[in-house]
Amino acid sequence: MTAISPPGSTKFQIDLRRHLREEEEDRDLTRVICEIADASKYIINAIRTGDLGLAGTSNLYGENQLALDVLSDRILRKRMIHSGVVANILSEETSEVIEVDPGGKYSVAFDPLDGSSLVDVNLAVGTIVTIYEGSDLLQSGRNQVAAMYILYGPRTSLVYSTGRGVHEFCMNQLMEFTLTKENIQLQPSGNIYAPGGQRNLYTEGTEKYVSSLEEKGYKLRYSGGFVPDINQILLKGSGIFLYPHLRDKPKGKLRLIFELNPMAYLIEQAGGKASTGRQSILDIKPESIDDCAPIFIGCREDVERAEEYIARYG
Ligand code: AHG
Ligand code: MN
Ligand code: MN
């Protein structure tokens, strides 16, 4: 991993657009990524000062939507519609594909505000985005052409990949994203674990696996926000996150299209691995927009060990 310059440093800084240009990225894809980065400035504002109450509506999982979920969704959707390069849009907060422009080169799916129920207790949350070429958003994650997330923590950071490494940008005083780390890489195995889901509902394989991590002295690091939890593993270069299959929920909780595929793409780009415990996340062909899957994601050897436990004990 190459550390560039500390966020906020006055040294010459490479911003997101310039980085994409230097990578000779497709102009339309650059457009989509920069529009999302711009949209995040308005989402930050909503998080900082917006209404924390319910919107009075529910999403496709039957969960109550917060006013912030709805507003973040609207901010992103508007940007994507006006970008002029997007064919279809899909959001965790809406139940169907929004057809924008059949001539658009890319289609985009997003979780506008992951972890939104953590905003009222002032914990970190994020926006997760996946991008495909063409109009089909029900493809396996292997076909993603880009994935990114924006993390709203004490600082705001953006991590993206277009298949040529994973790069981190932090927002500066002018609200520009400037390069802070290039080509982020994970170690083969780690020393932290982030276990999601209720422990007394774990299957035997997951329980034995997590106990084995604890016996080895792995440190517990679970915030309840998928974006900060994955960001910690990526940026420290170490660890595993799991939200496994549970006895009462064989597909776990997290959503394949909006949450798992983009994170799996980023982690694999950084040399890590993402698995349901039985197959690679990126190889799953989604059957429906709201598909969920169990996930073990992070350092390669840690994920492979989880797969061994699941194969042996279920
Ligand atoms: P969302 O806010 O989009 O519904 O998703 C929240 C997710 C994710 O951020 C986190 O890893 C997980 O839900 C936490 O679930 P638990 O509360 O079951 O730990
Ligand atoms: Mn989410
Ligand atoms: Mn969400």
Side-chain angles (χ1 to χ4, degrees):
M1 170 163 67
T2 327
I4 307 301
S5 59
S9 127
T10 49
K11 264 173 62 184
F12 178 70
Q13 296 174 330
I14 297 175
D15 74 7
L16 180 63
R17 189 177 299 277
R18 174 161 169 198
H19 193 260
L20 286 156
R21 199 169 52 227
E22 285 181 358
E23 293 282 311
E24 294 180 10
E25 209 40 82
D26 177 78
R27 270 179 57 185
D28 289 356
L29 185 57
T30 298
R31 180 83 197 258
V32 176
I33 293 171
C34 290
E35 289 285 344
I36 292 163
D38 273 350
S40 74
K41 298 174 191 171
Y42 297 88
I43 297 177
I44 296 168
N45 197 42
I47 294 169
R48 289 197 179 141
T49 58
D51 176 2
L52 291 178
L54 294 174
T57 47
S58 58
N59 65 13
L60 65 161
Y61 308 92
E63 300 164 339
N64 284 327
Q65 288 175 303
L66 297 176
L68 276 178
D69 287 319
V70 174
L71 183 54
S72 308
D73 182 48
R74 206 174 293 156
I75 291 168
L76 273 171
R77 197 173 348 137
K78 224 171 170 178
R79 284 280 174 162
M80 290 298 95
I81 289 171
H82 292 127
S83 69
V85 294
V86 168
N88 289 334
I89 306 172
L90 190 54
S91 163
E92 195 188 84
E93 301 301 337
T94 51
S95 45
E96 54 205 26
V97 174
I98 300 165
E99 292 170 12
V100 182
D101 172 6
K105 190 162 180 188
Y106 295 99
S107 288
V108 182
F110 44 79
D111 180 352
L113 197 56
D114 179 76
S116 50
S117 67
L118 300 173
V119 175
D120 62 351
V121 289
N122 218 1
L123 284 170
V125 295
T127 296
I128 311 172
V129 183
T130 172
I131 305 173
Y132 289 87
E133 204 167 326
S135 57
D136 185 6
L137 282 162
L138 277 180
Q139 304 185 45
S140 83
R142 201 61 75 196
N143 298 339
Q144 290 169 101
V145 294
M148 62 195 283
Y149 62 77
I150 295 140
L151 170 58
Y152 313 104
R155 285 176 178 268
T156 302
S157 60
L158 180 154
V159 170
Y160 91 89
S161 178
T162 53
R164 286 193 293 268
V166 184
H167 317 296
E168 185 208 38
F169 295 73
C170 284
M171 193 175 264
N172 67 14
Q173 302 91 320
L174 301 173
M175 290 191 105
E176 300 157 340
F177 283 107
T178 60
L179 184 61
T180 39
K181 284 187 191 86
E182 218 171 14
N183 296 316
I184 297 166
Q185 280 291 312
L186 292 179
Q187 297 158 19
S189 76
N191 58 359
I192 63 173
Y193 72 117
Q198 227 173 291
R199 181 87 178 243
N200 62 354
L201 295 174
Y202 279 10
T203 59
E204 195 183 349
T206 309
E207 177 55 39
K208 283 194 155 73
Y209 173 64
V210 169
S211 299
S212 79
L213 298 178
E214 288 164 349
E215 276 157 29
K216 282 191 204 140
Y218 277 51
K219 281 187 287 185
L220 176 65
R221 288 287 183 274
Y222 185 73
S223 78
F226 192 38
V227 180
D229 286 339
I230 290 292
N231 188 67
Q232 172 164 222
I233 290 168
L234 255 181
L235 274 292
K236 300 276 188 205
S238 169
I240 180 161
F241 173 99
L242 50 135
Y243 205 112
H245 46 303
L246 300 172
R247 289 187 202 280
D248 65 340
K249 259 194 202 166
K251 296 208 155 177
K253 172 186 179 185
L254 297 179
R255 295 101 193 191
L256 180 62
I257 294 178
F258 306 104
E259 296 168 332
L260 304 188
N261 274 337
M263 291 309 198
Y265 181 86
L266 291 166
I267 289 282
E268 287 207 357
Q269 275 293 314
K273 205 169 163 169
S275 167
T276 63
R278 298 188 187 276
Q279 78 173 118
S280 170
I281 293 288
L282 295 179
D283 288 335
I284 304 173
K285 170 88 178 85
E287 285 165 7
S288 140
I289 291 171
D290 53 358
D291 279 357
C292 292
I295 187 163
F296 297 82
I297 179 169
C299 292
R300 190 172 39 79
E301 290 173 10
D302 291 325
V303 174
E304 283 167 0
R305 234 174 293 122
E307 287 176 326
E308 284 163 25
Y309 275 90
I310 303 304
R312 194 145 167 215
Y313 302 104

